[in-house]
Amino acid sequence: MTKKQQFLSEHNKLSPMALQATTALLSRFRIEKTLLFKDDNWSLDRLRRPFILWLTSLTSQEKDNIENKNKT
């Protein structure tokens, strides 16, 4: 499992359904918040709170767009 997959797995274990994440959402988060990533380290302690804040700021439409772009 990659560090990103480990982060996703742990985040989803700790989160209610409304805050469940996908790899597409994590990828977009990394693109939009590049300053949080100095390397390929997906530290749950360091990134989970900023990820949740970012995730809750998205509209349903934005989430759908991110998911749909990843499928094509």
Side-chain angles (χ1 to χ4, degrees), residues 8-70:
L8 179 63
S9 175
E10 290 300 316
H11 167 77
N12 284 342
K13 281 182 198 174
L14 298 168
S15 299
M17 284 302 294
L19 293 177
Q20 295 288 301
T22 63
T23 54
L25 288 169
L26 289 181
S27 295
R28 177 60 71 86
F29 173 70
R30 183 167 183 172
I31 290 168
E32 291 188 16
K33 303 295 183 181
T34 55
L35 295 177
L36 294 174
F37 295 89
K38 295 182 178 159
D39 52 22
D40 196 31
N41 189 6
W42 283 86
S43 168
L44 193 67
D45 294 336
R46 192 170 55 83
L47 295 174
R48 188 158 185 263
R49 186 165 189 259
F51 178 69
I52 290 172
L53 292 172
W54 175 82
L55 187 61
T56 57
S57 74
L58 297 175
T59 65
S60 295
Q61 181 69 36
E62 289 171 321
K63 286 181 191 175
D64 290 344
N65 288 342
I66 292 168
E67 292 296 333
N68 291 333
K69 284 181 185 179
N70 195 51

